[in-house]
């Protein structure tokens, strides 16, 4: 329920930004996220959908390993503006997903 609310709020936020005017676009900042998630079908798809719902654009994905029922991935994401807080809130609401680290990409 919390995830659904966060995703709806994020979608509405970016719809409003699009409605400001044609040609308007938010600047994007790149971040590399190290992620741990359950190693089961659909987990990565849910993560990708949540990133998109938070306004993020996946620019790179490396599946690092699978160990003890967990998958470990590095994902490079462009987010609107320079603050990844909305993205981190949405990802934090997904059960079993852990953002191990986040690093700005220059």
């Amino acid at each position: 329920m919390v995830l659904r609310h966060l995703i709806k709020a994020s979608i509405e936020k970016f719809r409003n930004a699009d409605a400001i005017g044609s040609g308007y676009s938010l600047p994007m900042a790149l971040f590399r996220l190290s992620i741990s998630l359950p190693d089961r079908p659909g987990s990565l798809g849910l993560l990708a959908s949540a990133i998109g719902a938070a306004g993020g654009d996946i620019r790179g994905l490396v599946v690092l390993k699978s160990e003890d029922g967990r998958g470990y991935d590095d994902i490079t994401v462009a987010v609107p503006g320079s603050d990844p807080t909305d993205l981190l809130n949405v990802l934090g609401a997904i059960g079993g997903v852990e953002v191990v680290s986040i690093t700005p990409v220059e």
Side-chain angles (χ1 to χ4, degrees), residues 35-94:
I35 302 283
S36 170
L37 68 163
D39 188 13
R40 62 177 179 254
S43 290
L44 189 55
L46 176 61
L47 182 75
S49 294
I51 289 170
D57 181 26
I58 296 173
R59 301 288 176 90
L61 169 69
V62 178
V63 176
L64 300 172
K65 66 180 178 178
S66 175
E67 185 175 275
D68 298 324
R70 307 274 311 155
Y72 297 87
D73 305 321
D74 279 346
I75 305 173
T76 302
V77 179
V79 298
S82 60
D83 183 3
T85 301
D86 285 346
L87 175 64
L88 293 174
N89 287 339
V90 169
L91 297 182
I94 302 173

Side-chain angles (χ1 to χ4, degrees), residues 10-26 80:
S10 293
I11 290 170
E12 189 61 31
K13 178 179 177 180
F14 295 105
R15 278 190 186 144
N16 289 340
D18 288 342
I20 290 173
S22 63
Y24 176 82
S25 65
L26 297 172

